[in-house]
């Protein structure tokens, strides 16, 4: 696994339960575009919404409801929220 790349999957409900996702903090954001830098690794599960992430020097990727995503520490990117987002997140 390359530690500089964004990784995502469509996890089963059982995996989410084992990970304790429903107990993670919640983040919500309306439609917006903004730059972001990840100081820590973040794992998040998208409850609702749709957004596009463009890593610095990379191609845009779109994510939405049902995606489990890992953003590596040190990642610089631009968030473009297309539909209001709600996600559970865990910083490590």
């Amino acid at each position: 696994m390359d530690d500089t790349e964004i990784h995502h999957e469509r996890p089963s409900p059982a995996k989410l339960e084992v990970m304790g996702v429903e107990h993670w903090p919640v983040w919500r954001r309306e439609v917006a575009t903004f730059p972001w830098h990840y100081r820590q690794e973040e794992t998040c599960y998208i409850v609702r919404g749709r957004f596009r992430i463009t890593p610095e020097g990379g191609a845009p990727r779109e994510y939405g409801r049902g995606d489990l995503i890992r953003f590596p520490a040190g990642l610089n990117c631009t968030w473009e929220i297309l539909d209001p987002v709600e996600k559970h997140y865990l910083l490590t």
Side-chain angles (χ1 to χ4, degrees):
M1 183 185 299
D2 183 343
D3 285 340
T4 63
E5 291 190 19
I6 299 169
H7 294 276
H8 91 284
E9 64 179 281
R10 302 290 294 204
S12 68
K15 180 172 184 172
L16 295 174
E17 186 174 339
V18 168
M19 293 175 71
V21 168
E22 70 181 36
H23 302 292
W24 296 356
V26 174
W27 181 86
R28 294 177 184 90
R29 186 78 188 250
E30 297 300 317
V31 172
T33 300
F34 54 92
W36 193 254
H37 171 75
Y38 286 89
R39 292 189 180 132
Q40 298 173 273
E41 179 176 290
E42 178 184 321
T43 301
C44 63
Y45 178 70
I46 311 308
V47 177
R48 71 171 179 213
R50 190 171 57 95
F51 57 95
R52 185 176 299 125
I53 299 289
T54 304
E56 190 173 73
R61 295 170 68 180
E62 201 167 300
Y63 303 98
R65 182 180 176 176
D67 285 330
L68 181 68
I69 309 163
R70 183 182 63 81
F71 297 104
L75 175 70
N76 290 307
C77 62
T78 299
W79 272 72
E80 183 182 354
I81 298 178
L82 307 169
D83 295 315
V85 168
E86 179 178 328
K87 69 177 183 172
H88 287 282
Y89 69 95
L90 182 66
L91 301 174
T92 55

